[in-house]
Amino acid sequence: MNLIEVKDLKKQFGEVEPITKVLHGLTFKIEKGELLAIMGPSGSGKSTLMHILGFLDRPTSGKIRFLGEDVSKFDDNKLAKYRNEKVGFVFQAFHLLPKTSVLENVKLPLVYSHISEKEKIKKATEAVKAVNLDHRAQYLSNQLSGGEKQRVAIARALVNNPEIIFADEPTGNLDSKSGAQIMEIIENLNDQGKTIIIVTHEHDTAKHAKRIIHLKDGLITSDEKVNDRRYAKDGLYK
């Protein structure tokens, strides 16, 4: 089943000169349950694409369908509702509240939900457990290692049970061991049925995906499925 359908997607910044054209007519689909990496160098348009797919921005032209609905017809309120309920984000810089507990950080996306405090705590506790961090639930986020902070960020992205999770350079601030642990968690979540999009320029991160879209200068240069997750020494998938 297609979760997202993108057709002739374009994005530019500015309405008068100088106009910066970032995306130049992208067309692709994302199925439910995929683990997809979007790769490309700085300036390739991958972050702009993530912002549009995650309801953080609107395209200049083109079509996006999310679960069959035309996103271009959404007003700002519906975009915000979908962004909060249907999408989870994991960022390179974690974006945690420093003097707030792990559990309270994970609860944040539930602040506007119409459920009881007891249910919020239950959902947050389950999300923290899903990333193997329940023994740190009452720690302040500034007492955690970088890898643990990223696990909190993943738990926060999970707490609303979103349709899709975007991970923007999820290992960028981590050492190789912590990065590998984070990618193992992401793989496990995908194996449980979560749709996850990784935005990265790092081959070691992208190698965990099942499909890779390469962007360059706002265009798709390749879109390939990976038969397995073995990574060749020369940096190419075999």
Side-chain angles (χ1 to χ4, degrees), residues 5-16:
E5 298 177 56
V6 176
K7 186 173 182 181
D8 198 25
L9 183 70
K10 297 179 182 179
K11 179 64 177 179
Q12 67 181 39
F13 294 99
E15 296 180 0
V16 296

Side-chain angles (χ1 to χ4, degrees), residues 12-28:
Q12 67 181 39
F13 294 99
E15 296 180 0
V16 296
E17 295 295 342
I19 293 173
T20 303
K21 295 183 178 181
V22 181
L23 301 176
H24 304 282
L26 308 186
T27 298
F28 61 93

Side-chain angles (χ1 to χ4, degrees), residues 9 25 47 64 70 88 104 116 118 187:
L9 183 70
S47 292
I64 302 176
D70 185 351
E104 290 299 319
S116 67
K118 182 178 180 181
E187 282 187 24

Side-chain angles (χ1 to χ4, degrees), residues 23-71:
L23 301 176
H24 304 282
L26 308 186
T27 298
F28 61 93
K29 298 177 182 178
I30 298 172
E31 294 182 3
K32 291 194 74 169
E34 282 206 76
L35 178 52
L36 166 67
I38 298 175
M39 293 196 71
S42 296
S44 62
K46 59 185 186 296
S47 292
T48 298
L49 177 59
M50 183 196 77
H51 290 161
I52 293 172
L53 296 180
F55 308 116
L56 292 168
D57 198 1
R58 293 181 184 268
T60 303
S61 64
K63 290 260 185 173
I64 302 176
R65 299 186 73 84
F66 185 88
L67 289 172
E69 289 193 85
D70 185 351
V71 175

